Every structure is written in C-alpha cells, then in structure tokens.
Amino acid sequence: MFATPKTGENPNTQPLVAPDLIIHAERALIDGVLRPGSVHVTGGRITAITALDPAPDPAVPGITLPPSQVLLPGLVDTHVHVNEPGRTEWEGFDSATRAAARGGVTTLLDMPLNSIPVTTTVAALEEKLAAAIPQLRVDVGFWGGAVPENGADLRPLHEAGVFGFKAFLAPSGIDEFGHLTEPELNTVLAALAEDDALLIVHAESPAVLDAQPESVDGGYPEFLRSRPEEAERDAIRMVIEGLERTGGRAHILHLSAASALDQIRAAKAAGLRLSVETCPHYLGLSAEEVPAGGTEFKCCPPIRDAGNRAALWAALIDGTIDTIASDHSPSTIEQKRRGDGDFRVAWGGVSGLEVELPVVWTAAREFGMPLERVIRLLAEAPARLVGLSDVGSIAVGNRAHLIAFDPDAAFTVHAEHLAHRNKISAFDGRTLHGVVERVWLHGAELTEDSAPSGQVRRRG
C-alpha cells in the first residue's frame, strides 16, 4: 500500500507516486517535534513525509494549513463509556463517536459497562459489535470485563480481540458488573498473566469507603470526604501486591489521589508492569470550583483540591503518570440531577469526550507543559499501552488519522452545543484554549454530514 524504502534510507522522506492527498503544514508533530512538513496520504495511510513544499503542485490534491494551525495525530482515548446497547438513552455509538470526531479523537476504546449486556462474554461482545458497526464515525475497540463469575470467559474474550479487561475493586454502581475481592483480583491477575493480557482497574477500596461516616447533607465537601485518598492508596496496594505475586500487567484508571504517586513510583522502580492514567477533569478542575448542587462534577474517584491537581501535573511532567483518558461516563440528565443536587444519589460521571484536548491544553499552558508532551499523553502513549502500533503518531505506514489544531484560539463551552447525547457538562461556561479545526480519518476529512466510516479495532 505504501512505498518500501531502499536499505539505509529514511522511510519518512520517501516520495510516493500519485498520493490521494498531501497536507502541508508549517508545524507538524513529527518524531516528537513540531517542524515544517508535507504529509502524503494514499489509501488511508501515511505514505511519505517530506520537507514542506513552499509551492505545492496545483495538480496534486493538497491542503495547506494556515500558520495558526498545527498538524497533529488523532487522539487515542482508551477510556470511554458508550453504554450501547441497553442504555442508549444515556449515550450511544452515533452520538459518542460524533463527539469524539469533533474533539479530534479518532480512535477510542469502549468500556464493558454500562451497556446491557456488559461485555463479560463473547456473546455480549458480539451483541455490542452488531450495535456499533453501522454507526462508527471514528475507529473503536473494546475492553472486556473481569467480574467474579466470568473466569472461564477471559481467554475466549481475549482471543476475540478485546484489548484487556476492566475490573472494579469497589461496587461499580450497576448490579450487572460486580467488583472483585482481593483474592479474586489475584486470581484474575494470575489468569491474565498466562496470556500476557492487561487488567485495567478502578482502584478504590471498599473497606475504606465503608468505614467513612454516614453522609447527612448531600453536599460536595461531604461527598469528597466520603471517598478519601486512602481508598485509592489501599486499592493500589492490592494491585501492586497482586503484580508481585503473579508477574501480570495492570493499569490504574482515572488516578485522582496524588498521595498514591509514591506507591506507583516505587512499584515501577521495582520493575512491576504497572501503568497509570489520569483524566482531564482532574487536571482542569479542582474541588474549590464545584458549586453547591453541581452534580455535573460528580465522579468516582472525586475531583480533589487545587494542591492535589498541581501534584498530578507534576507527576505528568516527571513521567510517573503514563496516559490521559477522558473517562467519558454520561447518563441521562435526570440521573445526573437525581436528588436535586444531592451528591449521594446523583449518577457519578463526567462527560468530557469532545473537549478533552482543550481542557488538558488549557491547563498545560498553566503548568508549563508543551503541546508535544500533551499529545504524547493523549495519543501516542495510550496507543502504545494497548498495542495499537499504527495510530497515535504521524509516521509512514500509520493510519492517516490527523487533526488540524489551533492552540491559541479560545472558545467558551456551551453544553447544549456538544455532540454527546445528554447536554450536561462540568465544563459548561468555561473558556478554553485550543480548537480542533479539521479532522481526517483514514485520510478522508470528516464533517458533520460525513457517513459513518470508522472501523472496529481488535487487539493484535
């Protein structure tokens, strides 16, 4: 499909006959550096990267980005709850992938809950695929679930192409997806280690959560106290000790508690195969900003204080935290507003898929992280985590998933204009920096009127 370089030549400089499209950019993220370049696309793949042509041939299909725009790889979001089938009134593949495309996310991985059925068997995966395939506006892969009763289903799901397995160590919030006890966690880690499969973990300790005083007023300060940092630290301890016993692989989801970072650093230094993500809402928001009754901010683990937020940024900068993912977890507005602002009963989850890049980039400007590092955390690193070698970077042979991004443009978020199904957002009314101006999927530019053209991704 793409030109084969001669021995000793740099494949990124190979010219290609008759490309379908060339995108010329004064700034393109190539080999981790922003530099001028022309990216050649044929058959949906990047087939050459050449020096920027100051006078492109008008006979060759091409696009020249304005100097204000940067050519970047499409983002890879490994933590999205699409909820279809079964809870499509919360979200679905059409609305979720439309939101992803608007936000420059060209590959996403769907969580095994809160759909019905949950993705804990091959039959459930097939049901989800049947719902998804006709609607995909970006490429989509799937996680399997690890629950107490599906030990015999783990290997068949792995062979069917899921990218790994999601487990909760505390109640998930839905009856269909049970949480693992510590002995069950060790059993699952040992089973997955036989196939070198990845376990991704919602790490909160039920023992710590159960020990908290009973809530009395339903406000955010009380909700925050009910899910202390100790709950994350204790659950991460369980995962680390499980890795020591089994030699398996694990990824900590949506790290909120900065006080757990020393445990993670020590585990990595000891050679354990542990990685960790955090989320845009922990990086762009702080507890001090949550208004009374603002249940659109409720998530588990919770958004913590400004000092904690700064410590998470320091851990991103020093490399302790490996990836950023949205944890887009929508519900109906009625579920989010249940209890009229009572954090005890409102559904927990932040809908941020469409705005994750500007949320992170706006905060990154504050903390001094360059755009190149931001994109590594949102694209290249998550792609490598799950073994997707042909996305997440601009390189010859990769899928031509590209975005044109204006890092200096500013806009105000209006929840009613976002593409996800239920128009509620913790970012409503916030002014953010960074606008995704154009998106290409498999080399074709996406618009609001584009027909679904996303593909299913499978492990391996």
Side-chain angles (χ1 to χ4, degrees):
M1 184 178 291
F2 49 87
T4 302
K6 298 176 183 177
T7 303
E9 290 185 342
N10 181 350
N12 281 359
T13 63
Q14 294 307 300
L16 185 70
V17 176
D20 300 329
L21 173 68
I22 304 176
I23 304 176
H24 309 279
E26 293 185 11
R27 292 179 294 166
L29 185 58
I30 301 166
D31 296 328
V33 177
L34 290 173
R35 62 176 175 85
S38 295
V39 177
H40 300 232
V41 176
T42 305
R45 297 270 179 170
I46 298 171
T47 48
I49 301 171
T50 60
L52 180 63
D53 188 344
D57 183 349
V60 178
I63 295 169
T64 299
L65 298 186
S68 61
Q69 295 179 17
V70 183
L71 186 65
L72 302 172
L75 307 187
V76 179
D77 191 335
T78 55
H79 194 155
V80 179
H81 294 267
V82 176
N83 303 333
E84 188 176 3
R87 287 192 174 94
T88 313
E89 71 275 14
W90 292 20
E91 189 70 285
F93 285 102
D94 177 69
S95 53
T97 59
R98 190 184 294 274
R102 281 192 187 179
V105 176
T106 50
T107 306
L108 68 83
L109 267 58
D110 171 60
M111 284 288 164
L113 71 166
N114 303 303
S115 57
I116 302 173
V118 291
T119 317
T120 53
T121 66
V122 171
L125 175 63
E126 291 173 348
E127 190 170 340
K128 182 167 281 192
L129 284 165
I133 287 171
Q135 304 185 71
L136 301 182
R137 297 178 183 278
V138 300
D139 287 1
V140 175
F142 300 91
W143 295 106
V147 294
E149 65 274 14
N150 82 324
D153 296 292
L154 299 178
R155 178 164 287 167
L157 276 165
H158 189 250
E159 292 172 349
V162 299
F163 284 86
F165 296 88
K166 167 77 174 285
F168 277 75
L169 300 186
S172 70
I174 61 168
D175 294 337
E176 312 93 83
F177 201 96
H179 67 285
L180 303 181
T181 63
E182 188 167 1
E184 289 167 341
L185 167 67
N186 292 326
T187 298
V188 167
L189 280 169
L192 296 185
E194 295 178 5
D195 293 320
D196 200 34
L198 179 64
L199 183 69
I200 61 174
V201 184
H202 181 121
E204 290 183 286
S205 163
V208 173
L209 297 178
D210 289 346
Q212 301 313 304
E214 186 175 351
S215 179
V216 295
D217 68 10
Y220 190 73
E222 189 177 71
F223 170 70
L224 185 57
R225 287 191 296 271
S226 76
R227 302 192 89 96
E229 294 186 42
E230 182 189 355
E232 291 186 72
R233 294 196 303 269
D234 189 51
I236 291 169
R237 171 199 59 79
M238 295 183 212
V239 174
I240 290 170
E241 291 178 358
L243 294 179
E244 290 171 339
R245 292 186 183 98
T246 65
R249 299 168 57 211
H251 180 70
I252 302 299
L253 298 169
H254 45 51
L255 181 74
S256 144
S259 62
L261 289 164
D262 285 345
Q263 294 170 271
I264 293 164
R265 291 185 180 104
K268 289 185 170 190
L272 298 181
R273 295 193 294 168
L274 179 70
S275 56
V276 60
E277 76 181 26
T278 193
C279 303
H281 39 281
Y282 303 133
L283 299 172
L285 303 171
S286 59
E288 294 88 342
E289 301 172 82
V290 178
T295 48
E296 64 270 25
F297 291 82
K298 180 182 176 180
C299 55
C300 300
I303 296 165
R304 304 191 189 277
D305 63 36
N308 184 86
R309 172 176 172 252
L312 292 176
W313 272 104
L316 285 167
I317 290 167
D318 72 22
T320 303
I321 298 176
D322 301 277
T323 66
I324 302 172
S326 69
D327 189 11
H328 179 72
S329 186
S331 70
T332 63
I333 293 175
E334 291 74 20
Q335 289 280 350
K336 284 300 289 181
R337 295 300 189 200
R338 190 174 56 190
D340 193 24
D342 188 332
F343 280 85
R344 293 171 295 184
V345 296
W347 178 259
V350 172
S351 299
L353 179 59
E354 185 173 333
V355 294
E356 63 180 296
L357 176 53
V359 168
V360 175
W361 172 233
T362 299
R365 291 159 61 106
E366 176 186 349
F367 287 94
M369 179 179 283
L371 182 60
E372 300 95 307
R373 286 287 306 279
V374 169
I375 298 304
R376 174 173 173 76
L377 289 160
L378 285 165
E380 184 177 1
R384 301 302 170 262
L385 171 73
V386 299
L388 288 172
S389 61
D390 61 355
V391 294
S393 61
I394 299 176
V396 167
N398 276 10
R399 295 178 181 228
H401 293 180
L402 301 162
I403 63 177
F405 180 67
D406 187 336
D408 296 318
F411 71 102
T412 299
V413 178
H414 296 290
E416 67 269 23
H417 297 155
L418 296 174
H420 66 260
R421 176 154 302 184
N422 288 277
K423 311 304 184 184
I424 187 170
S425 170
F427 305 106
D428 189 32
R430 296 181 72 89
T431 297
L432 302 176
H433 283 89
V435 173
V436 176
E437 300 284 2
R438 306 174 79 165
V439 179
W440 293 266
L441 185 77
H442 302 288
E445 186 167 2
L446 299 182
T447 69
E448 290 294 317
D449 297 326
S450 295
S453 58
Q455 299 178 4
V456 170
R457 299 303 310 263
R458 298 178 190 264
R459 178 194 53 81

mmCIF file of all heavy atoms in Angstrom, residues 48-76:
data_model
loop_
_atom_site.group_PDB
_atom_site.id
_atom_site.type_symbol
_atom_site.label_atom_id
_atom_site.label_comp_id
_atom_site.label_asym_id
_atom_site.label_seq_id
_atom_site.Cartn_x
_atom_site.Cartn_y
_atom_site.Cartn_z
ATOM 1 N N ALA A 48 4.316 8.998 2.950
ATOM 2 C CA ALA A 48 5.600 9.711 2.927
ATOM 3 C C ALA A 48 5.454 10.975 3.753
ATOM 4 O O ALA A 48 4.355 11.526 3.898
ATOM 5 C CB ALA A 48 6.016 10.063 1.500
ATOM 6 N N ILE A 49 6.564 11.411 4.309
ATOM 7 C CA ILE A 49 6.645 12.704 4.984
ATOM 8 C C ILE A 49 7.862 13.410 4.407
ATOM 9 O O ILE A 49 8.987 12.912 4.508
ATOM 10 C CB ILE A 49 6.789 12.544 6.506
ATOM 11 C CG1 ILE A 49 5.591 11.767 7.076
ATOM 12 C CG2 ILE A 49 6.899 13.904 7.179
ATOM 13 C CD1 ILE A 49 5.749 11.368 8.526
ATOM 14 N N THR A 50 7.622 14.538 3.766
ATOM 15 C CA THR A 50 8.694 15.235 3.070
ATOM 16 C C THR A 50 8.836 16.651 3.615
ATOM 17 O O THR A 50 8.001 17.134 4.378
ATOM 18 C CB THR A 50 8.399 15.290 1.557
ATOM 19 O OG1 THR A 50 7.159 15.982 1.334
ATOM 20 C CG2 THR A 50 8.280 13.885 0.975
ATOM 21 N N ALA A 51 9.904 17.299 3.186
ATOM 22 C CA ALA A 51 10.088 18.699 3.544
ATOM 23 C C ALA A 51 8.914 19.517 3.026
ATOM 24 O O ALA A 51 8.325 19.201 1.987
ATOM 25 C CB ALA A 51 11.395 19.216 2.966
ATOM 26 N N LEU A 52 8.570 20.549 3.755
ATOM 27 C CA LEU A 52 7.443 21.393 3.359
ATOM 28 C C LEU A 52 7.696 22.005 1.994
ATOM 29 O O LEU A 52 8.714 22.665 1.769
ATOM 30 C CB LEU A 52 7.229 22.493 4.397
ATOM 31 C CG LEU A 52 6.083 23.471 4.114
ATOM 32 C CD1 LEU A 52 4.738 22.751 4.088
ATOM 33 C CD2 LEU A 52 6.066 24.574 5.173
ATOM 34 N N ASP A 53 6.766 21.786 1.091
ATOM 35 C CA ASP A 53 6.873 22.332 -0.258
ATOM 36 C C ASP A 53 6.301 23.749 -0.253
ATOM 37 O O ASP A 53 5.099 23.930 -0.034
ATOM 38 C CB ASP A 53 6.099 21.445 -1.231
ATOM 39 C CG ASP A 53 6.311 21.836 -2.688
ATOM 40 O OD1 ASP A 53 6.795 22.952 -2.936
ATOM 41 O OD2 ASP A 53 5.977 21.017 -3.558
ATOM 42 N N PRO A 54 7.127 24.775 -0.491
ATOM 43 C CA PRO A 54 6.605 26.142 -0.430
ATOM 44 C C PRO A 54 5.692 26.492 -1.599
ATOM 45 O O PRO A 54 4.937 27.459 -1.525
ATOM 46 C CB PRO A 54 7.882 26.988 -0.458
ATOM 47 C CG PRO A 54 8.891 26.136 -1.144
ATOM 48 C CD PRO A 54 8.568 24.722 -0.770
ATOM 49 N N ALA A 55 5.743 25.696 -2.670
ATOM 50 C CA ALA A 55 4.892 25.960 -3.836
ATOM 51 C C ALA A 55 4.309 24.645 -4.327
ATOM 52 O O ALA A 55 4.767 24.076 -5.320
ATOM 53 C CB ALA A 55 5.706 26.633 -4.941
ATOM 54 N N PRO A 56 3.291 24.110 -3.616
ATOM 55 C CA PRO A 56 2.738 22.812 -3.983
ATOM 56 C C PRO A 56 2.202 22.793 -5.410
ATOM 57 O O PRO A 56 1.677 23.790 -5.913
ATOM 58 C CB PRO A 56 1.607 22.617 -2.967
ATOM 59 C CG PRO A 56 1.932 23.527 -1.831
ATOM 60 C CD PRO A 56 2.634 24.697 -2.448
ATOM 61 N N ASP A 57 2.336 21.657 -6.052
ATOM 62 C CA ASP A 57 1.827 21.457 -7.401
ATOM 63 C C ASP A 57 0.300 21.495 -7.367
ATOM 64 O O ASP A 57 -0.328 20.670 -6.702
ATOM 65 C CB ASP A 57 2.318 20.107 -7.915
ATOM 66 C CG ASP A 57 1.889 19.841 -9.356
ATOM 67 O OD1 ASP A 57 1.051 20.585 -9.893
ATOM 68 O OD2 ASP A 57 2.399 18.862 -9.942
ATOM 69 N N PRO A 58 -0.330 22.433 -8.058
ATOM 70 C CA PRO A 58 -1.798 22.512 -8.025
ATOM 71 C C PRO A 58 -2.478 21.304 -8.638
ATOM 72 O O PRO A 58 -3.675 21.093 -8.419
ATOM 73 C CB PRO A 58 -2.099 23.791 -8.816
ATOM 74 C CG PRO A 58 -0.894 24.011 -9.673
ATOM 75 C CD PRO A 58 0.273 23.487 -8.899
ATOM 76 N N ALA A 59 -1.744 20.496 -9.391
ATOM 77 C CA ALA A 59 -2.338 19.306 -9.995
ATOM 78 C C ALA A 59 -2.463 18.160 -9.005
ATOM 79 O O ALA A 59 -3.163 17.176 -9.274
ATOM 80 C CB ALA A 59 -1.504 18.855 -11.194
ATOM 81 N N VAL A 60 -1.795 18.264 -7.847
ATOM 82 C CA VAL A 60 -1.845 17.206 -6.834
ATOM 83 C C VAL A 60 -2.816 17.633 -5.738
ATOM 84 O O VAL A 60 -2.718 18.757 -5.228
ATOM 85 C CB VAL A 60 -0.445 16.962 -6.229
ATOM 86 C CG1 VAL A 60 -0.517 15.899 -5.145
ATOM 87 C CG2 VAL A 60 0.539 16.540 -7.316
ATOM 88 N N PRO A 61 -3.794 16.800 -5.388
ATOM 89 C CA PRO A 61 -4.718 17.179 -4.312
ATOM 90 C C PRO A 61 -3.954 17.517 -3.036
ATOM 91 O O PRO A 61 -3.138 16.720 -2.562
ATOM 92 C CB PRO A 61 -5.576 15.922 -4.126
ATOM 93 C CG PRO A 61 -5.420 15.153 -5.393
ATOM 94 C CD PRO A 61 -4.053 15.447 -5.902
ATOM 95 N N GLY A 62 -4.190 18.704 -2.534
ATOM 96 C CA GLY A 62 -3.440 19.117 -1.356
ATOM 97 C C GLY A 62 -4.181 20.151 -0.535
ATOM 98 O O GLY A 62 -5.097 20.821 -1.004
ATOM 99 N N ILE A 63 -3.773 20.251 0.717
ATOM 100 C CA ILE A 63 -4.316 21.227 1.657
ATOM 101 C C ILE A 63 -3.142 21.896 2.346
ATOM 102 O O ILE A 63 -2.234 21.219 2.842
ATOM 103 C CB ILE A 63 -5.218 20.541 2.704
ATOM 104 C CG1 ILE A 63 -6.463 19.938 2.046
ATOM 105 C CG2 ILE A 63 -5.606 21.512 3.821
ATOM 106 C CD1 ILE A 63 -7.248 19.020 2.966
ATOM 107 N N THR A 64 -3.137 23.207 2.365
ATOM 108 C CA THR A 64 -2.119 23.954 3.093
ATOM 109 C C THR A 64 -2.759 24.566 4.324
ATOM 110 O O THR A 64 -3.669 25.395 4.212
ATOM 111 C CB THR A 64 -1.491 25.042 2.208
ATOM 112 O OG1 THR A 64 -0.863 24.427 1.068
ATOM 113 C CG2 THR A 64 -0.443 25.841 2.979
ATOM 114 N N LEU A 65 -2.318 24.141 5.484
ATOM 115 C CA LEU A 65 -2.887 24.678 6.714
ATOM 116 C C LEU A 65 -2.398 26.102 6.945
ATOM 117 O O LEU A 65 -1.244 26.422 6.638
ATOM 118 C CB LEU A 65 -2.480 23.811 7.912
ATOM 119 C CG LEU A 65 -2.932 22.357 7.913
ATOM 120 C CD1 LEU A 65 -2.570 21.710 9.249
ATOM 121 C CD2 LEU A 65 -4.423 22.233 7.658
ATOM 122 N N PRO A 66 -3.227 26.959 7.486
ATOM 123 C CA PRO A 66 -2.763 28.303 7.834
ATOM 124 C C PRO A 66 -1.710 28.222 8.941
ATOM 125 O O PRO A 66 -1.655 27.251 9.701
ATOM 126 C CB PRO A 66 -4.029 29.009 8.318
ATOM 127 C CG PRO A 66 -4.969 27.923 8.690
ATOM 128 C CD PRO A 66 -4.645 26.757 7.807
ATOM 129 N N PRO A 67 -0.849 29.242 9.047
ATOM 130 C CA PRO A 67 0.225 29.197 10.049
ATOM 131 C C PRO A 67 -0.260 29.026 11.481
ATOM 132 O O PRO A 67 0.481 28.526 12.329
ATOM 133 C CB PRO A 67 0.935 30.543 9.863
ATOM 134 C CG PRO A 67 0.610 30.967 8.467
ATOM 135 C CD PRO A 67 -0.766 30.442 8.193
ATOM 136 N N SER A 68 -1.492 29.424 11.758
ATOM 137 C CA SER A 68 -2.006 29.307 13.130
ATOM 138 C C SER A 68 -2.312 27.873 13.528
ATOM 139 O O SER A 68 -2.466 27.580 14.726
ATOM 140 C CB SER A 68 -3.283 30.141 13.282
ATOM 141 O OG SER A 68 -4.292 29.680 12.387
ATOM 142 N N GLN A 69 -2.416 26.957 12.553
ATOM 143 C CA GLN A 69 -2.840 25.584 12.839
ATOM 144 C C GLN A 69 -1.656 24.619 12.826
ATOM 145 O O GLN A 69 -0.725 24.753 12.033
ATOM 146 C CB GLN A 69 -3.894 25.136 11.829
ATOM 147 C CG GLN A 69 -5.189 25.924 11.932
ATOM 148 C CD GLN A 69 -6.233 25.494 10.925
ATOM 149 O OE1 GLN A 69 -6.152 24.414 10.328
ATOM 150 N NE2 GLN A 69 -7.243 26.328 10.720
ATOM 151 N N VAL A 70 -1.737 23.650 13.730
ATOM 152 C CA VAL A 70 -0.712 22.619 13.885
ATOM 153 C C VAL A 70 -1.298 21.294 13.424
ATOM 154 O O VAL A 70 -2.440 20.960 13.758
ATOM 155 C CB VAL A 70 -0.270 22.520 15.360
ATOM 156 C CG1 VAL A 70 0.846 21.503 15.535
ATOM 157 C CG2 VAL A 70 0.157 23.875 15.890
ATOM 158 N N LEU A 71 -0.528 20.527 12.639
ATOM 159 C CA LEU A 71 -0.971 19.206 12.213
ATOM 160 C C LEU A 71 -0.523 18.186 13.260
ATOM 161 O O LEU A 71 0.670 18.049 13.545
ATOM 162 C CB LEU A 71 -0.393 18.851 10.847
ATOM 163 C CG LEU A 71 -0.911 17.534 10.237
ATOM 164 C CD1 LEU A 71 -2.405 17.624 9.928
ATOM 165 C CD2 LEU A 71 -0.125 17.180 8.978
ATOM 166 N N LEU A 72 -1.504 17.468 13.824
ATOM 167 C CA LEU A 72 -1.252 16.535 14.909
ATOM 168 C C LEU A 72 -1.845 15.168 14.565
ATOM 169 O O LEU A 72 -2.763 15.066 13.746
ATOM 170 C CB LEU A 72 -1.912 17.032 16.207
ATOM 171 C CG LEU A 72 -1.495 18.411 16.718
ATOM 172 C CD1 LEU A 72 -2.384 18.811 17.893
ATOM 173 C CD2 LEU A 72 -0.021 18.423 17.128
ATOM 174 N N PRO A 73 -1.372 14.119 15.225
ATOM 175 C CA PRO A 73 -2.054 12.831 15.079
ATOM 176 C C PRO A 73 -3.394 12.866 15.790
ATOM 177 O O PRO A 73 -3.584 13.592 16.784
ATOM 178 C CB PRO A 73 -1.098 11.852 15.777
ATOM 179 C CG PRO A 73 -0.380 12.690 16.787
ATOM 180 C CD PRO A 73 -0.213 14.044 16.143
ATOM 181 N N GLY A 74 -4.344 12.087 15.299
ATOM 182 C CA GLY A 74 -5.605 11.954 16.011
ATOM 183 C C GLY A 74 -5.387 11.370 17.392
ATOM 184 O O GLY A 74 -4.483 10.553 17.613
ATOM 185 N N LEU A 75 -6.226 11.781 18.347
ATOM 186 C CA LEU A 75 -6.093 11.307 19.715
ATOM 187 C C LEU A 75 -6.585 9.866 19.841
ATOM 188 O O LEU A 75 -7.416 9.406 19.058
ATOM 189 C CB LEU A 75 -6.886 12.197 20.663
ATOM 190 C CG LEU A 75 -6.623 13.707 20.609
ATOM 191 C CD1 LEU A 75 -7.369 14.405 21.727
ATOM 192 C CD2 LEU A 75 -5.135 14.020 20.671
ATOM 193 N N VAL A 76 -6.073 9.176 20.855
ATOM 194 C CA VAL A 76 -6.470 7.806 21.164
ATOM 195 C C VAL A 76 -6.982 7.807 22.595
ATOM 196 O O VAL A 76 -6.207 7.975 23.540
ATOM 197 C CB VAL A 76 -5.291 6.830 21.006
ATOM 198 C CG1 VAL A 76 -5.717 5.409 21.366
ATOM 199 C CG2 VAL A 76 -4.728 6.895 19.584
#
